[in-house]
Amino acid sequence: MTAKELRRWYWLKTELRDFARLLGLRTAGSKVVLTDRIAAHLDGRPFFEPTSGSAPGRDQLRTPLTADTVIPKGQRCSQVIRGWFEGQVGASFRFDAEMREYFARTDGAQTLQDALGHWYRTRNQGERQIQAQFEYNRFTRAWYLEHPPGTSRELLAAWQQYRSAPTDERGRI
């Protein structure tokens, strides 16, 4: 198999891990990293492991938290932080993409009040585009828009048919 052939198909992360293991490659990383690592191996090219943007800091926040609490660089989206946000906005709080990105970009100068402001500013902005490695999620969203009364069984059958063709022979969702 070549890298080009590998990329023609949709792979589950577990399938990529199994394939990497079979090839004697590292199995850590996102779907994108696993695919790139395997593709480089298949084509006989070197693969340079990505460096993490910011490793989690040693100092992670603990209770008690206030709006004035400074968010240290590398702060994870932890249960402690989730609990504080749920106390501010209610049980509907989720670490969605906007909030995960916010915490990933903190540089040690932001407070929880700043993060809370970001939460409110990013609500109701419409649907966010789903990244390419989450093709099943994109397919599901598009399928339900086209088939509002559809069942999960019908969705699964449609997904299996969609996934059975290589990516260059089907429309990308």
Side-chain angles (χ1 to χ4, degrees), residues 50-57 73-74 103-106:
T51 57
S52 62
S54 63
K73 184 176 181 171
F103 275 86
R105 289 189 318 262
T106 58

Side-chain angles (χ1 to χ4, degrees), residues 6 33 53 71 95 98 147 153:
L6 173 78
V33 170
I71 304 168
F95 280 116
E98 285 89 358
H147 308 88
R153 178 175 276 166

Side-chain angles (χ1 to χ4, degrees), residues 72-84:
K73 184 176 181 171
Q75 173 64 47
R76 291 184 298 270
C77 296
S78 68
Q79 292 302 317
V80 171
I81 302 295
R82 178 186 311 278
W84 186 83

